[in-house]
Amino acid sequence: MEIRQLRHFIAIAKYQSFSRAAEACYISAQGINMSIARMENELGRKVLRRTRKGVVLTPEGEFLLPRAKKIIALIDECDKFFAADSGFRQMLTIAASTGTIEEFAGPIITDFRAEHSEISVKIHECVDTACDSLVLNQEVELGMTIGEPTDERLEKRPLFASRHAVIVPQNHPLAEKDSVSVEDLRNVPVCLMNKGTRTYATYRAACHAAGFEPAIELFADNILLVFYMAEAQNMVGISTVHLAKRLSRPALKAIPFDSPDMDWRMYLIKLKTARLSPAAEMLERELLRHTERAK
């Protein structure tokens, strides 16, 4: 278990709502859903259960909650003591488009925090266009966004890429294919992430180039819902090959698109005219170093 997973669990127990807890923790609904899903996978037990009246604790969750609170209280006590002892901690806030932490940056930032305890890194998770705006408005120094920004004021460096894929039940007609084209989805209802993401813009543009309007059945506010709708409602979801491997389900198949036009590309962005703080420069170097290793 990770400390942030315990914080998310405590917040959900407090508000009895994933969405309200996500707001309180400054994370997206997708992010907090994935955080809890991973924790439950590690524990091998369900700690939360959704009901019509809200989210409730399972017996395992009842056991975990008081112990999680004790753990977090001790960690906060240590943080407060050592921050006061040092007299100064550098603060660094970055923007991260939904999915960038899960797909690439999560382990890097975790290691960075452990190595640089003098730096407090806060993450503002948001949709792609909002990430660009936060950097442009100088509310954050660095952003990790999806899709190449077109604003000339931004300096952008590629970090990571994955191919978009359709997520279908094993008995779906498309499941026989090894790859799909956008044309294969003509008049096929799909579920994908909301309009603030470049996944939506990329898919819509590809459909228009093929001469048809996309049949979007549902916009999801978190990626887990995309997989759920594909499994439970026999709907075609759109995610990425990389994420589909991490969220794989026996009843589903991920089929990559056959065109590089449907790539999911992640960029590190900063304002060209801004001078980065020492903390931001160190994190920038670390992210780019991992990109070079992956080549």
Side-chain angles (χ1 to χ4, degrees), residues 240-260:
T240 67
V241 172
H242 188 262
L243 193 57
K245 289 179 180 178
R246 298 176 64 178
L247 298 176
S248 62
R249 288 167 167 80
L252 296 177
K253 181 179 180 180
I255 311 167
F257 281 93
D258 59 11
S259 170

Side-chain angles (χ1 to χ4, degrees), residues 70-91:
K70 287 181 181 179
I71 292 169
I72 295 302
L74 288 171
I75 289 172
D76 289 344
E77 184 180 344
C78 290
D79 284 344
K80 184 178 180 180
F81 173 83
F82 287 108
D85 183 61
S86 64
F88 177 73
R89 290 190 81 194
Q90 298 180 62
M91 301 295 294

Side-chain angles (χ1 to χ4, degrees), residues 36-274:
I36 296 300
R38 286 177 188 155
M39 186 178 76
E40 291 180 327
N41 285 337
E42 291 171 11
L43 294 173
R45 297 287 191 277
K46 292 289 185 182
V47 295
L48 296 166
R49 181 166 56 86
R50 289 180 171 89
T51 71
R52 291 182 178 180
K53 294 182 178 180
V55 181
V56 298
L57 297 173
T58 65
E60 292 81 2
E62 294 282 1
F63 172 86
L64 178 60
L65 183 59
R67 290 159 178 82
K69 288 180 176 179
K70 287 181 181 179
I71 292 169
I72 295 302
L74 288 171
I75 289 172
D76 289 344
E77 184 180 344
C78 290
D79 284 344
K80 184 178 180 180
F81 173 83
F82 287 108
D85 183 61
S86 64
F88 177 73
R89 290 190 81 194
Q90 298 180 62
M91 301 295 294
L92 173 61
T93 303
I94 63 174
S97 290
T98 303
T100 56
I101 300 296
E102 293 81 5
E103 291 265 19
F104 173 77
I108 302 170
I109 293 175
T110 297
D111 291 344
F112 182 85
R113 282 171 164 159
E115 186 175 349
H116 300 282
S117 58
E118 78 282 4
I119 301 173
S120 176
V121 181
K122 295 187 180 298
I123 300 171
H124 188 136
E125 193 173 33
C126 52
V127 295
D128 314 331
T129 50
C131 179
D132 299 356
S133 297
L134 287 170
V135 176
L136 286 168
N137 295 334
Q138 300 187 59
E139 295 178 54
V140 300
E141 296 184 81
L142 295 172
M144 293 179 292
T145 194
I146 303 304
E148 185 171 4
T150 57
D151 196 303
E152 293 298 325
R153 293 171 292 173
L154 292 173
E155 179 180 323
K156 55 247 185 184
R157 300 282 296 276
L159 286 179
F160 178 82
S162 180
R163 182 64 55 88
H164 278 102
V166 297
I167 313 300
V168 296
Q170 293 283 1
N171 61 357
H172 194 280
L174 290 176
E176 299 178 2
K177 293 179 171 287
D178 294 322
S179 64
V180 296
S181 67
V182 170
E183 181 64 37
D184 290 326
L185 298 181
R186 183 187 290 266
N187 299 323
V188 176
V190 302
C191 173
L192 77 169
M193 293 296 290
N194 66 57
K195 293 182 179 181
T197 64
R198 289 198 173 95
T199 291
Y200 163 71
T202 298
Y203 178 63
R204 186 168 182 267
C207 291
H208 286 176
F212 67 93
E213 190 69 28
I216 299 173
E217 185 78 9
L218 178 69
F219 286 109
D221 64 353
N222 69 79
I223 197 64
L224 291 176
L225 181 58
V226 172
F227 284 80
Y228 172 80
M229 295 302 292
E231 186 171 18
Q233 303 296 325
N234 202 38
M235 191 180 295
V236 172
I238 295 181
S239 181
T240 67
V241 172
H242 188 262
L243 193 57
K245 289 179 180 178
R246 298 176 64 178
L247 298 176
S248 62
R249 288 167 167 80
L252 296 177
K253 181 179 180 180
I255 311 167
F257 281 93
D258 59 11
S259 170
D261 291 339
M262 286 300 294
D263 279 355
W264 185 93
R265 297 186 180 276
M266 175 178 167
Y267 289 84
L268 181 65
I269 59 174
K270 62 182 179 182
L271 201 61
K272 288 180 178 179
T273 56

